[in-house]
Amino acid sequence: MSNLRTLGLGALSLACLLGAPGGANAAVNEIDIGLNPTFQQTGATTVVSTGGFFSARAFLDSVSDFDGGTLTYPGAGSPVALTPGDDITLAFGDSAATMADLNAAYPFGTYSFHLTNSSTSATQDASLDYTETADALSTPTLTAASFNALQDLNAGSGFTFDFNSFEQNPAATESFLFLNVTDAAGDTVFSANPDVSATSIFMPGGVLAAGQTYDFDLIYDSRIVSSDGNVGTEVFFDSHTGGAFSTAAAVPEPAAWALMLLGFGGLGAVLRTSRRKAVARTA
């Protein structure tokens, strides 16, 4: 993706101020930062950029280790507050309408985490310098046939998502492939993590419900992973392509059809009787 100015991992500097020298008692076990482009597949062969998002996270050993902190970085908005995330993390996230705007807000340089505990006054610092790119060299895209087949899908039948091959960046130390399907409430109803060489993922029948709307999210994930021996470090570059689809309405079972026909027959008898009475009154 030529418009994506991603960040890579260069020199690592960590200063652990909690516990013994060298961070032996470090309460943070990993930090990561990511710049991630997003796309929307709106047609069989149409994939459009929808901007992207930035995230920074510090993963804690325990939720009680730290309850706040700041992230300092080269962008004009620095510093920003780190707040509790969905997991045992302190996190910050932001998004932009274009990757150019996102890259301008979060440029290359040193990103420093300062974590604090308001009860114990404990602190810990960690920082990463980003100097190289590792974004995937291909944009996730369902094949035209696969995208078209999703529309008005029979929920009771299995479905195979076919997509283009994941072209990995040589700078990545790890790469992953993900597919998530979520319902209208945002809950994940199907998730898969095959080998990055895969170009198809099978979803069994019965996972989806009839007459409902869903979204898919196909992710090409590239990472630069390192460590200073105490705290793991990771820079990730997730390319997301999403799309919407609906399942076909439920088809009545044979027994249900029989009941419906009986109902129609009864209604017909009532109408015929009503018509005969009306004719008799006018005779």
Side-chain angles (χ1 to χ4, degrees), residues 27-108:
V28 175
N29 57 62
E30 183 178 306
I31 57 174
D32 70 19
I33 292 177
L35 274 172
N36 312 283
T38 57
F39 303 88
Q40 188 77 7
Q41 186 161 1
T42 59
T45 59
T46 305
V47 178
V48 296
S49 171
T50 55
F53 65 92
F54 169 86
S55 66
R57 300 175 295 182
F59 294 82
L60 311 179
D61 289 335
S62 171
V63 69
S64 62
D65 290 334
F66 300 106
D67 56 12
T70 57
L71 174 70
T72 304
Y73 58 97
S78 176
V80 294
L82 296 169
T83 58
D86 294 338
D87 302 313
I88 305 179
T89 62
L90 290 173
F92 169 76
D94 193 13
S95 61
T98 69
M99 282 305 298
D101 291 340
L102 198 68
N103 291 324
Y106 302 98
F108 294 98

Side-chain angles (χ1 to χ4, degrees), residues 8-243:
L9 174 63
L12 170 67
S13 173
L14 286 168
C16 297
L17 305 181
L18 178 68
N25 297 325
V28 175
N29 57 62
E30 183 178 306
I31 57 174
D32 70 19
I33 292 177
L35 274 172
N36 312 283
T38 57
F39 303 88
Q40 188 77 7
Q41 186 161 1
T42 59
T45 59
T46 305
V47 178
V48 296
S49 171
T50 55
F53 65 92
F54 169 86
S55 66
R57 300 175 295 182
F59 294 82
L60 311 179
D61 289 335
S62 171
V63 69
S64 62
D65 290 334
F66 300 106
D67 56 12
T70 57
L71 174 70
T72 304
Y73 58 97
S78 176
V80 294
L82 296 169
T83 58
D86 294 338
D87 302 313
I88 305 179
T89 62
L90 290 173
F92 169 76
D94 193 13
S95 61
T98 69
M99 282 305 298
D101 291 340
L102 198 68
N103 291 324
Y106 302 98
F108 294 98
T110 300
Y111 286 67
S112 300
F113 292 77
H114 176 66
L115 308 180
T116 59
N117 187 312
S118 59
S119 298
T120 66
S121 299
T123 63
Q124 185 173 343
D125 294 294
S127 62
L128 293 170
D129 290 332
Y130 293 84
T131 60
E132 61 178 326
T133 62
D135 51 298
L137 303 180
S138 52
T139 299
T141 307
L142 294 186
T143 65
S146 191
F147 182 86
N148 288 335
L150 263 182
Q151 314 312 313
D152 208 30
L153 178 68
N154 182 348
S157 302
F159 182 79
T160 299
F161 292 85
D162 294 312
F163 43 87
N164 61 319
S165 59
F166 180 0
E167 188 178 358
Q168 300 180 60
N169 191 310
T173 60
E174 293 182 354
S175 295
F176 300 93
L177 172 63
F178 299 96
L179 173 69
N180 298 311
V181 177
T182 55
D183 60 19
D187 297 323
T188 300
V189 297
F190 177 75
S191 183
N193 173 216
D195 186 83
V196 294
S197 62
T199 56
S200 66
I201 295 173
F202 178 73
M203 179 177 65
V207 171
L208 308 179
Q212 302 296 316
T213 59
Y214 295 92
D215 290 289
F216 69 85
D217 184 19
L218 182 61
I219 307 169
Y220 290 172
D221 172 5
S222 298
R223 308 179 188 182
I224 299 176
V225 179
S226 187
S227 173
D228 79 326
N230 295 310
V231 177
T233 63
E234 188 172 286
V235 187
F236 62 94
F237 314 87
D238 291 359
S239 295
H240 293 254
T241 294

